[in-house]
Amino acid sequence: MTLYRDDSTSQVVLDRVKTWFWTADNTVLVISRYDAETGGEHHYIHWPRERFCWFRDEPTRQGAPE
């Protein structure tokens, strides 16, 4: 997943994203991400809608190198 921040010059690339969804009446993007270093546990990342312009979610092939 790639988030394009509100300043339009910075990209945030997230790998190992399991899923994403909106919360707080569609004002916060919540991203569920795996932690390979901790044995596959996951955590949530919260991005308020006003902090990014858009995002791109591209699926990866199963077993593809990261």
Side-chain angles (χ1 to χ4, degrees):
M1 172 178 272
T2 304
L3 273 116
Y4 296 86
R5 294 183 44 145
D6 57 351
D7 58 12
S8 299
T9 59
S10 301
Q11 296 177 7
V12 178
V13 178
L14 300 167
D15 56 346
R16 298 184 306 271
V17 172
K18 178 180 178 182
T19 190
W20 57 268
F21 55 91
W22 293 98
T23 189
D25 200 24
N26 291 329
T27 61
V28 178
L29 178 65
V30 181
I31 303 165
S32 175
R33 183 175 179 267
Y34 282 108
D35 289 328
E37 297 84 24
T38 60
E41 296 178 11
H42 71 277
H43 66 275
Y44 295 101
I45 302 168
H46 298 85
W47 279 84
R49 184 169 44 187
E50 66 269 6
R51 297 286 298 157
F52 64 95
C53 295
W54 60 286
F55 68 95
R56 180 175 51 200
D57 181 23
E58 296 182 85
T60 58
R61 291 184 298 122
Q62 191 77 326
E66 295 181 25

